[in-house]
Amino acid sequence: MKLSSKHIITFLVLTLSLVLPAQIVAQEDVTENLKNRLKETLEDSSINQVSSPPLLGLVGTVKDIVKNTIVVEDKSGKKNVVVPDDATILRTPGSSAIEIENVRIGDSIIAMGGASDNEQEIIGKRIIVSENTLTPPEKLTGIGIIKDIKRYSLILDTDNDPELEVFFTNKTLYKSPLSTLQLKDLTLGDKILFTAGLDKDEDWSASVVMRMQEALTSEE
Amino acid sequence: MATMKVKKEITVAIFIGLIIGAIIMGGVFRARRALVNLNPNPNSSATPLPSGKQPVESGLYLELTTADNQVLESPSMTISGKTVPKSYIVINGEAGDYIIVPNDLGNFSQEINLVQGANTILVTVYLEDGTKTESTINAIYTSEI
């Protein structure tokens, strides 16, 4: 077969018409990829732009006072709070300004400031002490099976109490892993996870109730 | 003479074929590279686990990524972390309680309200069988510093 220049040119045009779109798609992909990477880089740099070091806090109990350093024990151990001359120390209730000499061992303390150069101590800026213990509100959380639904409460069978009464209020939030529920959606035998706080009558008042069974049946 | 001409045309055809083949191969290679670069790490959206902490299929763990002992000037903060999927997370704050579930990778995040002063936040993860693990963090909300 004799190949004329016409054949060759036709063949070339046909081949290029097939190859060029693939090249263009590849180029578009590369451009899109570069855009994405640039966007990620900008997002990362915006996160890392910290103008000043973050403030540190410490909540605990005063264990010792040595010169201008208060030794504080929190949930993870003892830490030092260095108190510079310009730090503010307040005693509550009353928020009266005091000197470090008036801080007592056993006081509850909230210390705010920055980290020292070796990051082992807090340089106190604002320190609040109190004779009163800082105790978070008492909460009860657990899993139970609904045994009864009364007008104002649920009777739950839990590991610790087979007849635990948990009251609900108009602020109680009912939900499932998938959606928000209403009280009427709960039925006897439902397995629920609840969290409750003590109300003024010393009863457990539920703040959130989540039905657990729906998650197990619908997600598996 | 005619044989020489045919040989020349065959040589030209082979040469052109090689060029076209090279172009096609180049295009395919670039397209493949572009597609691979579009998603260099398919798991990059997942929060990396701290070293030595890998989820065990039946084990329960809680890894909070929210820093402890933060001092905040706004009355809310975000509690986030990682645990096992299909678990239930209870967050007991001093200004409110929350029950959430993690996503399929076990990641979770919840904005919570704070009270003025010291806040103790208890995060408890439950499995359906009642197994639980918990962790506490502190935060200080203040408008004066």
Side-chain angles (χ1 to χ4, degrees), chain B residues 20-90:
Chain B
I20 292 168
I23 291 170
I24 293 170
M25 285 299 292
V28 170
F29 179 75
R30 287 185 66 177
R32 281 189 64 186
R33 196 173 57 176
L35 287 173
V36 169
N37 286 343
L38 269 177
N39 193 6
N41 180 5
N43 298 320
S44 61
S45 60
T47 305
L49 283 174
S51 56
K53 297 241 178 187
Q54 293 297 324
V56 183
E57 196 172 332
S58 59
L60 178 60
Y61 70 92
L62 170 61
E63 187 68 36
L64 291 175
T65 51
T66 302
D68 195 12
N69 288 322
Q70 288 186 65
V71 177
L72 302 146
E73 292 179 85
S74 64
S76 66
M77 69 182 296
T78 301
I79 302 292
S80 55
K82 189 173 177 69
T83 183
V84 292
K86 293 187 179 178
S87 57
Y88 301 84
I89 301 145
V90 181

Side-chain angles (χ1 to χ4, degrees), chain A residues 12-220:
Chain A
L12 271 174
V13 169
L14 281 172
T15 307
L16 285 174
S17 66
L18 289 172
V19 171
L20 277 177
Q23 294 268 24
I24 291 166
V25 169
Q27 192 62 43
E28 284 174 353
D29 287 343
V30 170
T31 308
E32 190 64 30
N33 186 33
L34 285 172
K35 280 182 185 173
N36 288 336
R37 286 190 173 189
L38 181 62
K39 191 179 170 188
E40 284 171 12
T41 307
L42 287 172
E43 283 173 354
D44 285 347
S45 59
S46 65
I47 290 168
N48 294 328
Q49 282 172 359
V50 180
S51 55
S52 59
L55 287 169
L56 291 177
L58 188 59
V59 180
T61 307
V62 175
K63 284 292 168 186
D64 202 358
I65 301 151
V66 182
K67 293 183 180 176
N68 68 335
T69 300
I70 303 173
V71 181
V72 177
E73 185 173 52
D74 74 348
K75 61 182 183 292
S76 57
K78 288 180 181 176
K79 291 170 187 166
N80 291 341
V81 178
V82 178
V83 184
D85 291 340
D86 61 347
T88 303
I89 307 177
L90 302 173
R91 177 171 289 283
T92 60
S95 294
S96 52
I98 59 170
E99 299 297 322
I100 189 169
E101 292 79 16
N102 303 116
V103 176
R104 290 188 284 268
I105 293 171
D107 278 347
S108 297
I109 182 169
I110 302 171
M112 293 166 269
S116 62
D117 291 340
N118 60 11
E119 297 187 348
Q120 300 297 311
E121 298 171 327
I122 290 179
I123 308 298
K125 192 173 179 185
R126 186 177 177 86
I127 296 162
I128 301 165
V129 295
S130 173
E131 287 182 354
N132 302 325
T133 309
L134 295 168
T135 49
E138 199 170 350
K139 301 283 177 74
L140 176 68
T141 299
I143 296 172
I145 306 289
I146 299 177
K147 289 177 73 175
D148 194 6
I149 301 175
K150 294 184 175 179
R151 190 171 181 186
Y152 298 110
S153 66
L154 299 170
I155 305 299
L156 302 175
D157 181 3
T158 67
D159 283 345
N160 299 326
D161 187 348
E163 296 277 336
L164 177 69
E165 185 168 26
V166 176
F167 287 80
F168 43 79
T169 68
N170 54 6
K171 289 182 180 173
T172 302
L173 180 64
Y174 307 93
K175 59 194 293 192
S176 77
L178 307 174
S179 61
T180 301
L181 302 178
Q182 293 182 333
L183 176 60
K184 63 182 174 60
D185 296 321
L186 299 178
T187 57
L188 298 183
D190 277 352
K191 190 174 192 176
I192 63 165
L193 174 60
F194 67 93
T195 183
L198 276 180
D199 62 19
K200 60 184 179 186
D201 299 323
E202 297 288 303
D203 291 320
W204 291 113
S205 182
S207 51
V208 190
V209 172
M210 178 177 277
R211 189 168 66 188
M212 301 178 82
Q213 286 168 326
E214 188 173 334
L216 299 171
T217 53
S218 58
E219 288 180 12
E220 290 181 354

